């Protein structure tokens, strides 16, 4: 049964609206917030990495299969409003795109790697930025993060037809900074300067005393010992007392 001209005109605005929707608007929402690992780790946060809890048991939805890839989206906090889910895996941004696009996809997995239940004795975490061997232009590379952030992450489920589901964005994560160890301003800083000045004066006094002692010792030693200059010859006259010699023997005839 065909549509009249009026009916088709009424259908056009909804169709145009669906066409102009930004990517990711039709994704299934998973009410899970990624979070930093609660385990006691020595390097939970470094200058280039941070450690997340695995999203165990969060993808057991009927429309998600065991073969659908689950990506981790890493984004700068001020760029999450510009993040759009790629329609194809081939269009996924890589770590080298972070300065320009503000986000990338990494750590591809599937829900079989994130089963529900207790993990047992194994420590199940995700370390973001932990792969120094891959190129930042490689899709899925878990390259070290280029700066302190802050960063926010979420999980994105895709298949051959496009994106399927996504989680909430995490809270902001700031990495450690190399310039964190700085002199604390205030009275302690002034006291430290006074101590350094006193120690410098004492060191100068000790060095001056040692230098004076060295000069005195050298002068005393050199002044009491005769030194022959180059080219000077020392002649010794030999005296032979007469009583030390016997007269020559007289030969018999």
């Amino acid at each position: 049964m065909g549509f009249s001209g009026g009916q088709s005109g009424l259908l056009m605005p909804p169709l145009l609206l669906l066409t102009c929707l930004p990517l990711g608007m039709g994704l299934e929402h998973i009410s899970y917030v990624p979070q930093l690992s609660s385990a006691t780790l020595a390097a939970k946060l470094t200058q280039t990495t941070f450690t997340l809890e695995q999203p165990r048991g969060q993808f057991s939805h009927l429309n998600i299969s065991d073969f659908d890839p689950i990506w981790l989206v890493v984004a700068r906090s001020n760029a999450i409003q510009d993040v759009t889910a790629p329609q194809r895996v081939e269009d996924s941004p890589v770590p080298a795109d972070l300065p320009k696009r503000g986000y990338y996809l990494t750590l591809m997995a599937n829900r079989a790697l994130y089963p529900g239940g207790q993990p047992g004795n194994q420590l199940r975490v995700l370390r973001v930025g932990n792969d120094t061997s891959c190129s930042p232009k490689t899709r899925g590379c878990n390259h070290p993060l280029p700066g302190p952030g802050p960063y926010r992450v979420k999980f994105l489920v895709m298949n051959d037809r496009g994106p399927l589901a996504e989680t909430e964005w995490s809270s902001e994560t700031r990495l450690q900074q190399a310039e964190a160890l700085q002199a604390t301003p205030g009275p302690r800083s002034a006291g430290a300067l006074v101590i350094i000045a006193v120690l410098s004066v004492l060191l100068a006094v000790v060095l001056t005393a040692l230098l004076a002692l060295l000069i005195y010792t050298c002068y005393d030693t050199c002044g009491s010992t005769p030194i022959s200059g180059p080219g000077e010859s020392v002649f010794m006259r030999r005296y032979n007392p007469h009583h030390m010699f016997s007269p020559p023997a007289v030969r018999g005839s």
Side-chain angles (χ1 to χ4, degrees):
M1 182 176 179
F3 293 100
S4 64
Q7 290 176 330
S8 61
L10 292 175
L11 291 175
M12 287 302 294
L15 290 176
L16 290 174
L17 179 63
L18 290 175
T19 305
C20 298
L21 285 176
L23 298 179
M25 290 295 293
L27 297 181
E28 180 182 353
H29 180 72
I30 300 175
S31 58
Y32 171 76
V33 179
Q35 55 188 339
L36 291 177
S37 174
S38 59
T40 305
L41 300 175
K44 185 185 301 185
L45 284 174
T46 68
Q47 295 181 19
T48 57
T49 65
F50 61 91
T51 306
L52 297 171
E53 294 280 358
Q54 285 192 359
R56 300 179 59 82
Q58 301 297 326
F59 305 103
S60 57
H61 297 69
L62 295 178
N63 61 336
I64 299 177
S65 71
D66 291 339
F67 304 100
D68 293 333
I70 303 173
W71 294 89
L72 180 70
V73 183
V74 181
R76 297 189 185 276
S77 293
N78 58 0
I80 61 173
Q81 66 275 5
D82 300 325
V83 175
T84 55
Q87 293 298 300
R88 301 183 307 166
V89 175
E90 292 77 10
D91 300 329
S92 302
V94 296
D97 296 325
L98 181 64
K100 183 177 180 180
R101 301 182 63 175
Y103 70 101
Y104 65 93
L105 274 61
T106 185
L107 290 175
M108 187 189 72
N110 54 61
R111 71 176 183 181
L113 297 176
Y114 301 140
Q118 296 297 325
N121 296 328
Q122 293 182 346
L123 181 63
R124 297 186 179 274
V125 294
L126 297 175
R127 190 178 292 275
V128 182
N130 196 41
D131 192 353
T132 59
S133 60
C134 64
S135 170
K137 296 182 180 181
T138 303
R139 186 181 306 111
C141 173
N142 189 23
H143 196 264
L145 295 166
Y151 300 98
R152 298 177 71 177
V153 299
K154 70 175 180 180
F155 291 94
L156 174 68
V157 185
M158 299 183 64
N159 63 9
D160 296 336
R161 297 181 300 275
L164 290 177
E166 64 179 357
T167 66
E168 301 275 3
W169 284 105
S170 69
S171 58
E172 290 186 348
T173 299
R174 295 180 182 272
L175 304 183
Q176 294 181 357
Q177 301 183 42
E179 60 272 14
L181 299 177
Q182 298 178 348
T184 304
R188 291 185 179 181
S189 179
L193 291 177
V194 172
I195 293 175
I196 293 174
V198 172
L199 292 177
S200 300
V201 172
L202 291 177
L203 180 61
V205 171
V206 171
L207 291 177
T208 303
L210 290 176
L211 182 61
L213 180 61
L214 179 62
I215 294 174
Y216 174 78
T217 304
C218 181
Y219 177 79
D220 183 66
T221 303
C222 296
S224 59
T225 302
I227 301 177
S228 298
E232 294 182 0
S233 300
V234 178
F235 297 94
M236 296 183 63
R237 181 175 295 176
R238 183 175 182 181
Y239 294 92
N240 295 322
H242 63 86
H243 63 273
M244 295 294 294
F245 291 89
S246 301
V250 179
R251 295 183 178 179
S253 54

